[in-house]
Amino acid sequence: MRILIIEDQESLSKLLKKGFEKEGYAADYVLDGEAGQRRIEIHHEDYDVIVLDLMLPKKSGFEVCKNIRSFGITTPVIVLTAKDSEEDKVSLLDSGADDYIVKPFSFRELLARVRALTRRPETSLPTELSIGDLVLKPAIKAAFVGNKEIKLTLTEFRLLEYLMRNPNQVLEREAITTNIWDFDFDSFSNIVDVYINRLRKKIDAGRKNGLLKTVRGVGYKISTN
C-alpha cells in the first residue's frame, strides 16, 4: 500500500513518511499544493490514500481536493487541518475529502483513519491472499507455506504482497521499485533482483516449479499455474 503526503512542513512530512514506512506502507511526500495536484493527476493509480494538508503554498488543500474530484479521481483523501469549526468540517467534506483530522494529532489516530478508509467497501482489499499453498495475511504481516510460517523482513513482505495482489501479471522492475520503495529511488539499482532472490529462497525452496517467475528483460510475476 502506498500513501502520498502533501504537507509543506518538511519536518512533519518526513516524520509521517517514516511512521508509515515503519508500519509497512510505502510513502512519498511533496511540499506544495501545485506539486501535490500534479503528482495526483499523473500517478493517482499508484496511491491508496492521500494525506493532504489544508494550508499549503501555491494551492490550498481545499482547491487540490476539489480539483482532483472534478477530474474523476476517487483516491481516498484525509485532510490535515487546524480548523475545527462545524462549518469548516462541512466545507472539507463537501469538497470531496473522505475524512479529516485536526492538528495537533497523534500518529496512531492518523494511522487508524488510514486503515479505516482502506477497509471501506469501495477500496477494500482481501484480508488473506493465497496462491497454492502460499498464504499471506496482510493485517498481521504473516506469511505461510503450507502450515509453516516463513519469516520475512518488512520489505520482503511488501514485495510479496504486491506480487500476490497482481497474480500472473508481469510487473516491470520500475513499477516494483516505485510501489515498494519511492519515487526518488534509483530505478537502475539491482535491489529488486536482490529481494526477488531472497523471496525465492524462502517461498520456492523445495518446489519443482517455483511460484516466482522471471520474465527476462522485463520484470517478474508470481504464477498461479
Side-chain angles (χ1 to χ4, degrees):
M1 183 177 296
R2 177 174 287 279
I3 296 171
L4 175 62
I5 303 158
I6 308 174
E7 163 62 61
D8 64 320
Q9 295 181 46
E10 189 165 13
S11 58
L12 177 56
S13 293
K14 288 180 176 179
L15 281 174
L16 294 178
K17 175 180 169 68
K18 184 177 180 180
F20 283 127
E21 290 176 342
K22 187 177 180 180
E23 294 296 323
Y25 300 94
D28 305 301
Y29 69 84
V30 293
L31 300 173
D32 67 71
E34 282 187 1
Q37 182 172 318
R38 188 162 56 249
R39 175 70 66 88
I40 295 167
E41 289 176 16
I42 298 171
H43 297 290
H44 61 90
E45 292 185 355
D46 294 324
Y47 292 106
D48 300 282
V49 177
I50 298 163
V51 175
L52 176 65
D53 187 33
L54 186 62
M55 304 299 291
L56 292 167
K58 298 186 179 181
K59 187 172 290 187
S60 72
F62 180 85
E63 291 177 282
V64 172
C65 191
K66 196 170 183 179
N67 289 342
I68 66 171
R69 294 304 188 227
S70 72
F71 300 149
I73 297 171
T74 59
T75 309
V77 173
I78 299 177
V79 172
L80 309 179
T81 177
K83 300 181 177 182
D84 61 356
S85 72
E86 182 178 343
E87 183 178 347
D88 290 325
K89 294 172 182 177
V90 170
S91 294
L92 285 175
L93 296 174
D94 284 346
S95 74
D98 296 272
D99 198 0
Y100 60 85
I101 187 168
V102 178
K103 293 181 176 181
F105 58 87
S106 72
F107 181 73
R108 288 182 61 190
E109 181 182 359
L110 177 59
L111 188 62
R113 290 173 182 266
V114 167
R115 287 196 296 258
L117 276 183
T118 57
R119 284 197 300 265
R120 290 183 180 179
E122 64 270 26
T123 58
S124 63
L125 298 171
T127 57
E128 185 173 297
L129 302 168
S130 62
I131 294 178
D133 65 348
L134 175 63
V135 176
L136 201 71
K137 297 184 178 182
I140 60 173
K141 298 288 188 295
F144 302 85
V145 173
N147 294 320
K148 182 180 179 181
E149 183 173 1
I150 54 174
K151 299 297 182 183
L152 300 177
T153 66
L154 191 56
T155 301
E156 289 169 351
F157 187 92
R158 284 162 51 185
L159 174 57
L160 182 56
E161 181 180 8
Y162 180 53
L163 291 164
M164 291 181 71
R165 291 199 188 280
N166 298 277
N168 299 315
Q169 295 184 42
V170 179
L171 301 175
E172 296 180 356
R173 285 179 177 82
E174 184 177 355
I176 294 172
T177 299
T178 56
N179 274 275
I180 306 305
W181 285 273
D182 60 44
F183 275 79
D184 297 321
F185 195 83
D186 180 7
S187 61
F188 294 101
S189 167
N190 71 339
I191 194 70
V192 173
D193 309 276
V194 170
Y195 272 91
I196 288 288
N197 287 334
R198 289 182 183 178
L199 280 181
R200 275 205 175 103
K201 291 176 182 178
K202 295 183 178 184
I203 71 173
D204 279 341
R207 296 183 192 275
K208 185 176 181 181
N209 295 307
L211 299 175
L212 281 172
K213 310 290 186 184
T214 300
V215 181
R216 193 171 298 278
V218 182
Y220 299 95
K221 69 176 181 177
I222 193 163
S223 178
T224 60
N225 302 320

